[in-house]
Structure formats: C-alpha cells, structure tokens
Amino acid sequence: MEEWPLIIFTLLVQGSVGLTLATSLFLLAGGKALAGAEQRRFVLPPLLMAVIAAACGLIASTLHLGYPLNAFHALRHVESSWLSREIIFASLYLAAIGFTTLLVLFFRKVSKTLLLASAVLGLVDIYCMGAIYVHSSVITWTHINTWMMFYGATLSLGATAGLGFFAARRGINDAITQKVALCAAAVLIASALSRVLEQMAYFSYLAKAELSEVVTFPHQPLEAFEQLHSGYLAAWVVLIAGVVIQSLPVRSRGNKTFLVLGALMVIAAEILLRVVFFSLN
C-alpha cells in the first residue's frame, strides 16, 4: 500500500489535536483546584506527546511527496488550494503547541489561552485536511463521512489519551478525576455512536452515487467498498469493544488493565478504519 505516509500523518496530527483538546478541557475543568506546580506536572507529558506526534506526522507527510524538498511550493496557492491551507494551519498548530510546551518546560508557565488557541488551530487544520479529500475526484471521499471520520478519530484518540494521562494518574483529587473520566467516556461513546449512525447515510450515498466528469474513481464505489467489507466491519467491532472496555470502569477510578487494553483496541481500530478509507480510491 502506497498511502502509509498519509495514514501515519493524518492519525498522528489528529491524535495530537485530540490530546491538545483533552489537555485544554482538563485545565478548564480542574485547573483552579490544582496549584501551579501541579498543573505543570500534569500537563507537561501530554503536551510533549502532542508536539512529538504532530512533528512526526508532518515529517511522515513529506514521504508521500515525490520530491520532499519541493514541499515549500505547495504553499503558493493558499487562495485556491485546500492542500496549501492544510499545510499552513498544520504548521501554525505545531508552532502554537510547541511554544505552549516550551513555556511550561522552561518558564514554568501554563497558558490556557495559548493552549486553547492551539486546539482551535488544530481543529481548523483537520477541517482543511478533510476538505482536500471531500473536494477530490474520488467519489468515496466526497461525502461528509470524510469529516466525520477525521473529527471522530480526533475525539476518540484525544479522549483515550485523556483517560490515560489524567483520569488514571495519581495525585489529582477524586472529584477532578471523576469529572475527567466521565467526560472522556462520554466523548468516546458519542464519537463512536455518531460515526456508526452516519454510516447508513454513507452507504445510501455510495449506492446512489453517479460518476461525472469531476468525480471519477472508483468506477464501482459500492463494489469497491464491499471488497473491504471484512476489514471495515472488524474495525467497527474492535472500536466499539475498545470504547466499552475503557468506559465501564471509569466510575470506579479506572482499572489500568482495562484502560490500556481499551486504548490499544481504539488505536488499532482507528488505524484499520484509516487503511480502509485510503484504500477506497
């Protein structure tokens, strides 16, 4: 498969944005109850992971280019190209979350404003990322399902990371832990359910889709989708099972075995769903 750089890029950036969003919500929900030193201790590891994931994702994206050194030329058509906009907002997001992390690391300052601004830039970047495919010539991508899958993966990976970094760590009082765990579980369930329900509209779209001069591939979209049916179905089963395994123990302060197992299942499912997505062309 030739799309692995794009699979790695999209999932790492979406996971990074999801983690930034989870960290922002954690500070908004429980920041006032924590002293400055505690805030820094809890937000630094997820911020470092968010920066590393976004940076690795951007590096992986260059592997998809025939001539990576010409990547700069992709910025020249920002007024008309979703690819140029995606590169610009990805760079702005990485710069913002990187600066936020440096403030915590070297100046011991947690800036909620900068962190929220980073999350907003990341969400805009994911919109641009989805628009590249929605406005392509591949009929299986030109549907709102693309944005549902991209934002769904962002929320799913972010909530999974939030459960691991905040809800399962010792040192936060029980009230904050419970609030974070319940919020993360609610996001996980809502993200999975909304995407499952949206698949019915997507199937209907594929069944009625007609090729045109603009939208040309694949020539038989429903048949192409059926060829990947086993992997697609397996991904949803693993995702739902992972969500349930992570969500069930949140009221009892989390069982780390369940959290780790559920997290691995959610990550594996998101990878498989993204493989199916990029195979439909």
Side-chain angles (χ1 to χ4, degrees), residues 218 220-232 276 279-280:
Q220 300 294 331
L222 200 55
E223 285 77 0
F225 191 86
E226 286 295 329
Q227 292 176 3
L228 300 166
H229 182 263
S230 298
Y232 183 77
V276 171
S279 298
L280 287 169

Side-chain angles (χ1 to χ4, degrees), residues 21-129:
L21 196 57
T23 307
S24 303
L25 296 178
F26 166 75
L27 284 178
L28 290 175
K32 291 182 180 178
L34 299 174
E38 286 183 308
Q39 283 189 16
R40 292 192 295 273
R41 183 162 66 89
F42 279 103
V43 301
L44 185 56
L47 287 179
L48 286 172
M49 178 168 280
V51 172
I52 292 170
C56 290
L58 288 176
I59 292 171
S61 70
T62 64
L63 301 178
H64 186 70
L65 300 175
Y67 299 97
L69 294 179
N70 288 336
F72 177 77
H73 296 298
L75 301 174
R76 297 168 56 186
H77 305 288
V78 65
E79 74 282 356
S80 59
S81 169
W82 283 107
L83 177 61
S84 297
R85 296 165 189 160
E86 195 277 330
I87 293 173
I88 288 173
F89 276 102
S91 302
L92 289 174
Y93 165 69
L94 179 58
I97 193 64
F99 186 60
T100 304
T101 306
L102 288 176
L103 283 179
V104 178
L105 190 61
F106 295 110
F107 297 95
R108 299 180 181 278
K109 177 177 175 56
V110 179
S111 172
K112 294 177 185 176
T113 303
L114 196 51
L115 188 58
L116 283 171
S118 303
V120 171
L121 286 170
L123 292 173
V124 174
D125 177 50
I126 292 170
Y127 181 86
C128 297
M129 191 185 292

Side-chain angles (χ1 to χ4, degrees), residues 140-196:
T140 47
W141 294 345
T142 57
H143 188 261
I144 194 174
N145 177 68
T146 297
W147 277 309
M148 289 288 290
M149 298 302 284
F150 282 13
Y151 278 116
T154 301
L155 295 177
S156 179
L157 294 173
T160 294
L163 277 170
F165 275 111
F166 304 120
R169 287 182 65 184
R170 296 184 182 280
I172 310 178
N173 68 51
D174 288 342
I176 297 176
T177 300
Q178 194 73 354
K179 186 186 297 184
V180 171
L182 290 173
C183 287
V187 170
L188 269 171
I189 294 169
S191 169
L193 280 180
S194 62
R195 281 189 287 172
V196 169

